[in-house]
Amino acid sequence: MKRITKLFLTAAVVLFAGSVFAQDMTQAGEFYQKATEAYQAGNEMEAVKNFKEALKIAEAAGDEGVEMAQGCKDMIPQILLSAAGKMVAAKDYAKAEETYNEALAAAKDFGNESVAKNAEAKLAQIPLQQGNDAYNAGNMDEAIALLQKAVERDGDNAKAHLLLGMAYNKASKDDEAEVSLLKAKELGDKNAEKVLSGMLLSAANDAMKAKKFNEAIAKAEKVLAIGPNPTASLIAGMSAYQAKNFNKAITHLVNAPATAQNTYILGSCYESVGKKAQACATYKKVNDAKFGPTAKQKIAKLGC
């Protein structure tokens, strides 16, 4: 009799437990439905809240809740990622960073590697976007601080290095700008070379105007190391001429625009280093009203 009673009691407990689990899964299903509707309506954070409630109940239900639990685990990191993206678009960067970190943690907990990698990449882009905003607003110190943070998070981000170089340039930190722009170029940014050349060319021209001829030559030669540039050749050549470094002047002036003035000075450089034949040939190319008469006098003097 005792044994029969015990069996009845055991059966009652099983039935009761089954009834409780069924009730719980019904409630979990309700949360899941609410979450789905919220997500479809664009209310991502409300959706996450309800998916988390459904997940909690489904996991407690054991085998009965495995499928629903997995569905929640698939959705939560994805939705957080989407919500953070909207926050970035609205320039709510602090909240976006918090939400990306939440997405990253959830993705790691649930074994979703692709979402985890995506969240890490997006986190690296936040200071880049903030830095870009600061740069466009003319706040170079703030831009530099944020863009330094961006390259610390993702050292292979060519755009971050490019923008950091541009910010350094605007802040008159040319050495730092050059390092960042060279890194951007190394990483394949197509604009880095143009920006770097323009920055160096401007610095070379300023140095020449200030009669800092050796500095002008050095800056212009850095431009030429990137690629042929007639303006850089002219600045380097004219600066070398003013510094009485005639051989270097010749090296660069032969690649400078062939104006009458440039050609005359090139001839003068050849003459200064004792290259009579080249000097004669160069002077003979000068035939404008300003430099032509003097060139003819040089030709006569050299006995060409």
Side-chain angles (χ1 to χ4, degrees):
M1 184 68 176
K2 286 182 180 181
R3 186 165 177 241
I4 292 171
T5 303
K6 186 176 180 181
L7 286 172
F8 274 122
L9 286 171
T10 302
V13 168
V14 170
L15 286 171
F16 177 75
S19 174
V20 169
F21 284 144
Q23 272 188 324
D24 287 346
M25 286 308 297
T26 298
Q27 188 181 18
E30 289 172 357
F31 277 119
Y32 197 98
Q33 181 63 29
K34 286 180 183 179
T36 302
E37 290 171 357
Y39 179 57
Q40 290 172 344
N43 301 322
E44 285 91 350
M45 300 312 292
E46 181 67 21
V48 169
K49 177 184 175 183
N50 283 294
F51 273 126
K52 284 181 176 180
E53 290 296 328
L55 175 61
K56 190 191 304 180
I57 297 169
E59 285 185 323
D63 291 344
E64 294 294 323
V66 168
E67 186 176 348
M68 183 178 289
Q70 187 58 53
C72 294
K73 289 178 179 181
D74 289 340
M75 292 299 296
I76 290 170
Q78 292 279 8
I79 296 172
L80 287 167
L81 204 63
S82 174
K86 286 186 177 181
M87 293 166 190
V88 169
K91 298 189 185 300
D92 188 354
Y93 296 118
K95 188 64 177 175
E97 186 156 351
E98 178 185 329
T99 307
Y100 276 133
N101 276 313
E102 189 178 349
L104 177 60
K108 287 181 175 180
D109 285 345
F110 302 152
N112 193 326
E113 291 184 11
S114 64
V115 172
K117 286 181 179 178
N118 200 345
E120 286 174 342
K122 297 293 186 183
L123 277 167
Q125 290 176 8
I126 287 179
L128 172 58
Q129 290 173 274
Q130 289 177 292
N132 186 63
D133 290 347
Y135 178 87
N136 289 333
N139 302 324
M140 292 308 127
D141 288 342
E142 182 183 354
I144 288 168
L146 288 163
L147 293 165
Q148 284 174 334
K149 186 176 180 181
V151 299
E152 284 170 8
R153 287 188 177 182
D154 183 2
D156 292 329
N157 190 316
K159 184 177 179 182
H161 286 285
L162 172 68
L163 200 53
L164 179 57
M166 292 168 65
Y168 276 134
N169 181 37
K170 288 280 189 182
S172 299
K173 297 180 178 180
D174 289 350
D175 291 341
E176 293 90 338
E178 187 176 342
V179 171
S180 293
L181 291 170
L182 283 171
K183 184 64 177 178
K185 179 177 179 291
E186 177 190 321
L187 291 169
D189 190 284
K190 295 179 180 179
N191 294 314
E193 188 172 293
K194 182 179 179 182
V195 173
L196 179 59
S197 293
M199 181 192 83
L200 291 169
L201 202 59
S202 178
N205 191 52
D206 289 344
M208 184 174 69
K209 287 180 178 178
K211 301 186 186 303
K212 298 177 180 179
F213 299 120
N214 288 329
E215 181 182 335
I217 294 166
K219 296 286 187 184
E221 286 182 339
K222 283 185 177 181
V223 176
L224 294 169
I226 296 171
N229 188 304
T231 304
S233 294
L234 178 60
I235 292 172
M238 288 299 188
S239 296
Y241 173 73
Q242 293 293 338
K244 300 189 184 304
N245 188 342
F246 300 116
N247 282 313
K248 184 178 283 289
I250 291 167
T251 298
H252 293 301
L253 287 174
V254 293
N255 297 312
T259 64
Q261 179 180 346
N262 298 344
T263 304
Y264 177 83
I265 291 173
L266 177 58
S268 178
C269 291
Y270 279 129
E271 183 183 356
S272 296
V273 297
K275 294 183 177 181
K276 179 180 175 181
Q278 290 95 324
C280 287
T282 306
Y283 283 136
K284 287 176 180 179
K285 294 177 183 177
V286 182
N287 54 18
D288 76 321
K290 184 175 181 179
F291 293 96
T294 310
K296 285 180 180 179
Q297 292 174 9
K298 291 284 189 178
I299 292 167
K301 178 184 175 183
L302 291 169
C304 299

